[in-house]
Amino acid sequence: MHLTYFPSMAFTTHTVWVTTGDKKNAGTDANVSVRFHSGDGSTSTDVIKLDNFFRNDFERGRQDSFSVTATVLDHIDHIELWRDSAGVYDEWHLNTVEVLCRKSGRKYIFPFYRWIKADYHYRIRHLDTSLPSDSDPFKDQREMELVEMKKLYEIEAQSPGMPGQVKCLPPDENFSDDYKWDIQSKKITLKLTSKIQEYFTGEWNNLDDLKNVYTKESLFLPNSALHWQEDEYFGSQRLTKVNHSVIRLCTVIPPNLAVTDDMAKPLIEGLTLQQAMDAKRLFFIDYKILEDIPCSGGRMICAPIALFFVNKDQKLMPVAIQLKQKPGQDNPVFLPTDPEYTWLTAKLWFNNADCSFHQSFTHLGATHLMMEGVAVVTNRNLSRSHPVFKLLAPHSLYLLAINTRALGKLVSPGGWVDKAMSIGRLGMFEIVTRQCGNWRMDVDGTLPNDLERRGVLDETVLPGYHYREDALPLYNILSKYVNNYLVLYYDSPKKIQTDKEVQGWAQELVKPVSEGGCGMQGIPGNGTFETLDQLGKCLTSVIFTCSVAHAATNFAQYDQYGFPPAYPAAMNGRPPTDKSPLKEECVLAALPDKPTTLDTMIITKILSDKGTNSLGDFEISYIVDPKAVEVVEEFRYELKKLSLAIKEKNNHRNPTYPWLDPDEIPNAISI
């Protein structure tokens, strides 16, 4: 018997709320029915058709309410829900169903977060959070859905040696609002509203002329424009800007760096190089990995080595820059005491190499691409009922969509990277390929281990390292959150070891990309999780990378690239091969032309805009289990405390470091 609610009905037993997903084509015109079931085998004999008379129900992104009449059960263990294929648009993405029993006042939550196919009877439990088990009464449904997910989510490498990416973007991953995320439309809008195209014709007159093209609105003058020529600012770029995880403590002078005590002594307060190393005041960056990288349009980049020193004022200052790896007559060691524009040009070429590595690996490779593979194997192996899926899902929101769009628009043949960066897309992919072979989750992807390897974990070493100061507390908060959550569901190692879904996830994380996996190195347990600690470290690394690491490397982009001399993505000509004095015109000639400058300003402004909620404020609340919700609330409380502390620190910092205030960190890589 079908009972349809009409306003004239005098008696209702339950209120049902249905929330349709905010996804492309998520709404439906199909007919939807439900039935309630108790845990003891009792069932509501009624089939309840969810239909509000004279109203278009189940529209995308909307919650609908239905007053219905059905058998009152002592407890609703699960609901049975199905739809037909009626209507022009019968696809349907269902987020949640909530049921209030008016007699008892009890409310039941049934999280679906699924595309509901026609004529299949879905059975979802109240709160629906469980590990896979042979005793699961809906085991067949769970396994059927994972089989379908394995067909939808497949991994491939777009070129040899690259991280695995989704073969074809599933409908579940589309943006909820295409216009909001349309890079091309945003570019056009910024150009029209900025009213600065007229300034981007002709040649640069002088270095000050570079500052005259900005507006007070969208394309404002970045702070970098005020300090870009200063050595102190050049040092702080290694600690407080986009490429924050490259600098290392120097314990031995790099063998290819031809710096001597005579060169360095006047620059390191009279110390010898060995004395400076013994005092842990000497640091270096070596870009050997950039040797022979292909470039676009006849341009080139260097493979430099740079030495830095913490002075008596606790500032990191550059000591020496060698632009190529092999010492020689045509590869001098440039010093701050060299002629002004010669030294400035050496810094520009170093920063061009630094930003090439930043955009290629620190940003694209180590966050966007690495985490895309993780998101794919998560969907392939973990049921939407699995607690680990619910933990991870908010941190991959829009990731696959933004990667598909960005690679299609920005890193395509003839796209922005080819036009605006010295390395072009082929050089970018080559850097990613080279560095992927060195990356390990248990080192590079685990913040304390990465800092320790680089010799900068001790907070008394390298003062002013704001990235470390703010990222470490965030890592610890995330680690506590993950482990507090996991112990709710894994009260013994055996439960992890026998969890076939999470073990399948572990196996595909390490499986080679050519075989359909992520091909990751350094996964705790190397493809088999034996302990809670191993699983917790892996999950912490993933969430940290999708939120904190990406925020630190992404949202300062306009601050850096928005004034190209501060961080030039492209350089013209060739780097200096001797210390002959250069003129201001030589610096101007090496910098990108006006159209490239405008395009770089606009693209990095778009990439620096935050488009989703702050960390812990999830767009979709997958976690509904009350005991797990308490863990989430504690997580949010810890983040709020840290946010206040960081805001207070930034009142006294110079430069400030807003990028890792939890209020400014999105949950996921969504831009």
Side-chain angles (χ1 to χ4, degrees):
M1 178 176 68
H2 291 267
L3 295 181
T4 303
Y5 167 69
F6 294 94
S8 59
M9 290 183 69
F11 179 70
T12 58
T13 58
H14 299 79
T15 302
V16 179
W17 293 273
V18 178
T19 304
T20 297
D22 185 15
K23 294 179 180 290
K24 196 171 185 177
N25 300 322
T28 188
D29 292 327
N31 297 302
V32 177
S33 302
V34 296
R35 183 185 282 125
F36 305 151
H37 298 268
S38 73
D40 61 6
S42 302
T43 183
S44 63
T45 55
D46 321 296
V47 172
I48 306 157
K49 185 176 179 182
L50 299 178
D51 182 23
N52 282 315
F53 197 52
F54 293 136
R55 182 179 174 185
N56 197 6
D57 301 316
F58 314 121
E59 292 293 291
R60 166 184 162 179
R62 198 175 74 190
Q63 184 179 80
D64 297 294
S65 174
F66 305 90
S67 295
V68 303
T69 299
T71 305
V72 177
L73 305 174
D74 290 337
H75 173 75
I76 302 177
D77 175 74
H78 67 275
I79 63 170
E80 178 185 359
L81 177 142
W82 65 99
R83 70 170 180 85
D84 62 17
S85 55
V88 178
Y89 300 105
D90 73 327
E91 300 92 345
W92 187 32
H93 188 275
L94 173 58
N95 276 6
T96 60
V97 175
E98 298 174 65
V99 178
L100 173 67
C101 177
R102 295 192 174 187
K103 180 179 179 181
S104 67
R106 296 185 65 179
K107 192 173 186 179
Y108 303 89
I109 302 174
F110 304 93
F112 278 75
Y113 299 110
R114 292 161 168 84
W115 289 95
I116 304 300
K117 60 184 181 179
D119 302 318
Y120 183 84
H121 287 235
Y122 291 82
R123 293 174 180 262
I124 301 296
R125 283 176 164 170
H126 171 50
L127 305 179
D128 188 49
T129 307
S130 63
L131 302 176
S133 167
D134 289 336
S135 62
D136 185 348
F138 312 130
K139 176 184 173 184
D140 290 346
Q141 174 181 296
R142 189 165 179 149
E143 292 180 351
M144 177 270 291
E145 289 182 323
L146 284 175
V147 168
E148 291 180 349
M149 286 297 175
K150 283 182 166 63
K151 294 175 183 176
L152 278 174
Y153 289 83
E154 294 183 284
I155 280 187
E156 67 174 5
Q158 294 200 358
S159 61
M162 291 282 285
Q165 295 178 256
V166 69
K167 187 174 182 179
C168 182
L169 188 68
D172 216 25
E173 302 294 339
N174 278 314
F175 287 124
S176 63
D177 186 341
D178 274 350
Y179 179 76
K180 180 179 178 182
W181 304 99
D182 190 329
I183 293 171
Q184 194 62 34
S185 294
K186 282 193 167 190
K187 280 183 65 176
I188 293 169
T189 301
L190 274 173
K191 281 188 176 182
L192 291 174
T193 57
S194 65
K195 300 178 182 179
I196 60 174
Q197 300 98 309
E198 59 190 277
Y199 297 108
F200 283 89
T201 58
E203 303 296 325
W204 300 115
N205 297 316
N206 51 55
L207 290 176
D208 286 335
D209 189 33
L210 290 161
K211 301 175 186 176
N212 295 330
V213 299
Y214 295 86
T215 69
K216 292 182 179 179
E217 294 82 33
S218 53
L219 293 175
F220 53 85
L221 184 70
N223 188 60
S224 58
L226 307 178
H227 307 286
W228 71 281
Q229 292 174 271
E230 301 168 7
D231 284 354
E232 182 180 321
Y233 182 81
F234 184 77
S236 77
Q237 284 181 294
R238 316 308 135 204
L239 310 179
T240 64
K241 303 302 178 184
V242 289
N243 206 25
H244 42 70
S245 298
V246 181
I247 195 163
R248 295 167 176 260
L249 179 68
C250 188
T251 55
V252 177
I253 299 297
N256 279 359
L257 179 60
V259 68
T260 65
D261 278 334
D262 288 340
M263 293 179 191
K265 262 190 174 183
L267 303 166
I268 58 175
E269 300 174 356
L271 301 175
T272 65
L273 291 168
Q274 187 60 54
Q275 287 170 333
M277 287 188 287
D278 290 344
K280 296 186 176 181
R281 296 173 67 184
L282 208 60
F283 301 84
F284 76 103
I285 295 173
D286 187 348
Y287 276 125
K288 181 176 176 58
I289 196 168
L290 300 182
E291 272 195 303
D292 304 318
I293 288 291
C295 290
S296 66
R299 293 176 289 202
M300 68 168 291
I301 63 165
C302 301
I305 310 171
L307 203 62
F308 299 84
F309 174 74
V310 175
N311 67 15
K312 63 181 183 302
D313 296 321
Q314 305 284 283
K315 303 294 184 182
L316 185 70
M317 304 294 289
V319 173
I321 297 173
Q322 185 177 290
L323 292 176
K324 292 179 281 188
Q325 286 289 309
K326 295 179 182 177
Q329 196 169 10
D330 65 344
N331 184 27
V333 176
F334 294 96
L335 306 168
T337 51
D338 291 338
E340 178 185 0
Y341 292 116
T342 304
W343 171 240
L344 182 60
T345 301
K347 290 194 292 182
L348 287 173
W349 280 98
F350 178 88
N351 266 351
N352 175 242
D354 195 72
C355 91
S356 298
F357 186 85
H358 161 255
Q359 285 290 20
S360 301
F361 193 76
T362 311
H363 184 207
L364 177 64
T367 65
H368 282 263
L369 298 185
M370 289 282 194
M371 293 302 105
E372 177 170 347
V374 173
V376 174
V377 300
T378 298
N379 281 281
R380 285 172 55 82
N381 290 282
L382 299 179
S383 162
R384 275 150 172 72
S385 302
H386 200 292
V388 173
F389 176 87
K390 295 176 185 293
L391 180 73
L392 288 178
H395 304 288
S396 60
L397 180 71
Y398 300 144
L399 169 58
L400 272 61
I402 195 64
N403 283 3
T404 300
R405 180 159 295 180
L407 288 171
K409 298 286 186 182
L410 303 180
V411 199
S412 56
W416 179 77
V417 170
D418 274 349
K419 293 175 182 176
M421 295 194 70
S422 294
I423 52 174
R425 59 187 288 273
L426 297 181
M428 178 172 279
F429 291 161
E430 178 64 22
I431 293 169
V432 173
T433 299
R434 290 183 186 184
Q435 191 64 13
C436 272
N438 301 326
W439 191 92
R440 293 181 59 89
M441 178 179 279
D442 58 357
V443 181
D444 309 80
T446 303
L447 179 67
N449 297 351
D450 171 56
L451 294 171
E452 186 173 35
R453 175 195 56 172
R454 294 188 287 114
V456 293
L457 178 60
D458 185 343
E459 292 193 4
T460 65
V461 175
L462 198 53
Y465 193 5
H466 297 342
Y467 169 73
R468 174 191 62 201
E469 293 166 10
D470 293 354
L472 263 176
L474 281 160
Y475 179 89
N476 293 332
I477 288 171
L478 280 169
S479 178
K480 179 182 176 182
Y481 164 57
V482 167
N483 285 284
N484 285 351
Y485 180 85
L486 290 178
V487 296
L488 299 177
Y489 305 100
Y490 297 106
D491 55 11
S492 70
K494 185 177 180 181
K495 282 194 175 178
I496 294 176
Q497 296 159 11
T498 58
D499 182 342
K500 62 183 181 181
E501 289 181 14
V502 87
Q503 294 299 341
W505 183 68
Q507 290 161 19
E508 288 201 351
L509 287 174
V510 303
K511 185 186 290 186
V513 177
S514 60
E515 298 175 19
C518 291
M520 282 189 171
Q521 302 180 78
I523 300 294
N526 194 30
T528 302
F529 293 125
E530 298 284 349
T531 66
L532 189 74
D533 181 65
Q534 290 174 337
L535 178 57
K537 284 181 176 176
C538 183
L539 294 171
T540 301
S541 173
V542 170
I543 297 173
F544 180 89
T545 303
C546 290
S547 56
V548 180
H550 179 259
T553 197
N554 183 76
F555 292 104
Q557 285 194 81
Y558 184 70
D559 174 77
Q560 291 292 277
Y561 294 92
F563 186 70
Y567 207 54
M571 293 285 285
N572 299 318
R574 295 290 181 266
T577 55
D578 59 49
K579 296 194 177 195
S580 300
L582 298 176
K583 297 181 179 180
E584 183 178 348
E585 305 89 82
C586 300
V587 176
L588 285 171
L591 292 171
D593 60 23
K594 287 190 174 185
T596 304
T597 297
L598 177 59
D599 214 32
T600 300
M601 288 164 57
I602 289 173
I603 289 295
T604 56
K605 181 66 173 67
I606 292 169
L607 296 178
S608 299
D609 287 345
K610 178 185 168 187
T612 51
N613 293 358
S614 300
L615 184 60
D617 178 16
F618 304 132
E619 280 81 359
I620 301 174
S621 298
Y622 293 91
I623 296 173
V624 294
D625 184 352
K627 58 188 179 182
V629 169
E630 288 183 15
V631 173
V632 173
E633 289 302 323
E634 183 182 359
F635 174 51
R636 290 170 176 160
Y637 174 73
E638 296 290 338
L639 290 173
K640 184 55 66 178
K641 280 201 308 182
L642 181 61
S643 176
L644 293 172
I646 288 175
K647 285 179 172 68
E648 176 60 27
K649 280 197 286 188
N650 277 324
N651 288 333
H652 309 286
R653 281 172 166 171
N654 185 21
T656 61
Y657 190 69
W659 323 114
L660 292 187
D661 179 341
D663 285 348
E664 302 301 323
I665 301 170
N667 289 301
I669 302 169
S670 51
I671 186 66

